Every structure is written in structure tokens, then in C-alpha cells.
Amino acid sequence: MQPSLFLAHGAPTLVTEELKYTRLLAMLAAKLPRPYAIVLWSAHWESRTQLISAAPQYETIHDFFGFPESLYEIEYPAKGNVALALQIRQMLTAEGISSEMDDHRGLDHGAWSLLNLMYPDGDIPVVAMSVNPRLTPEEQYRIGRALATLRRENVLLIGSGGTVHNLSKLNWSSAGVARWALEYDEWLAEQLETWNTEALFDYELRGPYAREAVPTPEHFVPLLLAMGAADSGKKARLLHREYQLGTLSLSAWMFG
């Protein structure tokens, strides 16, 4: 059975960088059973209704500005899986969760940057999923839980975002980590490892420096989705954590 994963996608340049984290992603893909398909929630695809990609072939979306030209030349030629997308919609409907299909959107950098590092050949079908930041944490968790049985069908579920993601507080002169970012991540790790959903669902009030770490929820939501997909086992393991520019966390969590 596949685990579910939460993976930080960092800055768009991550896909071109040699870091401990990028090496970890490549090694992780090599160690996991080769998945039949990948279902990925990206923080960079926001919608009011849960959207499920039914694109048979993805275009690569370069949804960023002002970066080196080489980034805009990267293409990730992943195919979709319409049958799996329809199955996902049926699974969500069975749990009373509304959703819609989308057959035209490509893969944003929250999706293709990670997939390029893990499966550079782009030969595993992908079903991209949107996130709805307006839902409560409990509702996010429930969406992930609704798709949990896909893991038994050799489908790898990935939430792509960032536990600490505040672009206004990046420290361009520091290679270390800000104390407040580390304190929040350490609090978060304790809640995840003990599967304390009560505290996690109230992270905005209970988490130290939560307003600084999570000023907007869209990058945190994929963590709750990936966690929900492992509700039956309730096991969390931190695979890696480092930081870019003092506050941008690069963390990898495995659930299940």
C-alpha cells in the first residue's frame, strides 16, 4: 500500500537546485513502490469547489515571474487519467463532498516541480486536485479521508504546499532559520506525530507564531488533505526539514 505524502515545493527554483531536500525527493521516489498513478493537491490551484483534473495530457504552467529564463523552458509532459478522475469524483460524492471536473488546466509549479524531481520521466499518470482555502481544517481532512482507499490501489497521494510560507518575511541575507519559524514547525511536528487533530484543527489559535507561519491557509491545506488520507493508520513521520531564506520551510512528511 502506498503512503500519503506532504511535500513542500518551496520557491520555483527548487527544481534546479542541489539541496539535501531535492536529493531526498529523488531517493524517496526510488524507495517507494512505483505507483500506478499520482493524485496531487497543489496549493497553487485554488477554487471554491473541489476540482478534479480530467485532462488527458497536461501542459506545463509557468505560474511565476522574474525568475531565470531556464525555468520557463522546463516542460513536464505528464498524462492524466480520466478514469481515475471519475472514480475520485464518485468517492467524494459518496461522502457528500461536492466536486467538479476540469479538463483543460495544466500542471502548475506546485505540482510539476516536485514531480520532476521525483519522477523526471513524466511517465506516471497524474490527477491534479485543487484546494479550497475557505473550508475548515476538519473539512480538508475529510476530503483526504474520502480518498484513503486509493492507497490500496497503488495510487500515491501527495499534498504540495508549505508548513511555513510567508513571502513577506523572507530573509534574503540569511542561510539560517528564524526562531519563530522553527518554533511553529516544532509545535506542528509534535501534533502530527501524536495525531492530535484537535490541536491541528485549531492551529491558528494554538500554534506558536501561527499568523506569521501561515498568514494565508492555501499552503497549509495540502498537509491536512494528505493527513486525512492516512486516517486509518494515524502514523506520521518527518522525513526531512530544512529552510530557504530563513523562513521558507522545505519539509517532507509521510503518513500511513
Side-chain angles (χ1 to χ4, degrees):
M1 183 167 66
Q2 291 283 355
S4 63
L5 302 172
F6 171 77
L7 303 174
H9 57 250
T13 51
L14 180 74
V15 72
T16 63
E17 294 177 309
E18 278 288 330
L19 303 171
K20 290 181 180 179
Y21 181 61
T22 56
R23 292 192 292 272
L24 176 277
L25 293 177
M27 289 188 294
L28 178 60
K31 289 181 179 180
L32 290 174
R34 180 177 172 82
Y36 150 71
I38 297 169
V39 173
L40 187 147
W41 288 279
S42 172
H44 287 274
W45 187 11
E46 296 183 47
S47 64
R48 289 183 176 271
T49 300
Q50 177 65 67
L51 296 179
I52 307 162
S53 176
Q57 177 72 53
Y58 290 103
E59 294 183 359
T60 304
I61 303 174
H62 301 93
D63 52 332
F64 42 79
F65 303 94
F67 286 90
E69 187 61 32
S70 58
L71 278 180
Y72 301 92
E73 297 173 355
I74 295 175
E75 298 288 333
Y76 189 77
K79 296 185 182 299
N81 187 317
V82 177
L84 178 57
L86 290 168
Q87 180 184 350
I88 289 170
R89 189 175 190 190
Q90 292 171 351
M91 296 171 77
L92 293 174
T93 299
E95 295 297 324
I97 300 168
S98 62
S99 64
E100 296 177 6
M101 308 289 279
D102 181 295
D103 63 1
H104 63 277
R105 192 179 190 276
L107 291 179
D108 59 63
H109 84 273
W112 63 257
S113 62
L114 294 176
L115 295 174
N116 191 293
L117 290 164
M118 296 179 73
Y119 302 103
D121 292 336
D123 56 353
I124 298 176
V126 177
V127 175
M129 305 275 288
S130 69
V131 300
N132 180 357
R134 299 166 185 82
L135 299 179
T136 66
E138 293 92 336
E139 290 170 319
Q140 310 288 1
Y141 188 94
R142 182 171 168 240
I143 292 171
R145 187 174 59 196
L147 304 187
T149 57
L150 290 176
R151 294 170 49 219
R152 298 194 187 98
E153 300 175 24
N154 197 26
V155 176
L156 179 61
L157 279 68
I158 300 175
S160 170
T163 56
V164 178
H165 188 272
N166 188 335
L167 301 184
S168 70
K169 290 188 177 294
L170 297 179
N171 186 342
W172 296 89
S173 62
S174 173
V177 53
R179 184 62 202 173
W180 62 265
L182 186 59
E183 284 193 30
Y184 178 78
D185 262 344
E186 289 178 342
W187 174 87
L188 180 63
E190 181 179 351
Q191 314 318 312
L192 291 172
E193 289 167 350
T194 59
W195 214 269
N196 186 354
T197 53
E198 180 183 348
L200 283 168
F201 293 167
D202 195 27
Y203 74 92
E204 291 178 292
L205 295 178
R206 299 197 191 189
Y209 303 103
R211 289 187 179 181
E212 288 83 358
V214 189
T216 55
E218 77 288 338
H219 277 73
F220 190 75
V221 164
L223 175 70
L224 299 169
L225 293 162
M227 189 183 185
D231 177 75
S232 60
K234 296 181 172 61
K235 293 181 181 179
R237 182 158 64 101
L238 179 62
L239 303 178
H240 185 83
R241 185 170 68 211
E242 65 181 282
Y243 296 84
Q244 292 179 304
L245 303 175
T247 64
L248 189 60
S249 65
L250 297 178
S251 55
W253 283 92
M254 178 182 289
F255 302 113

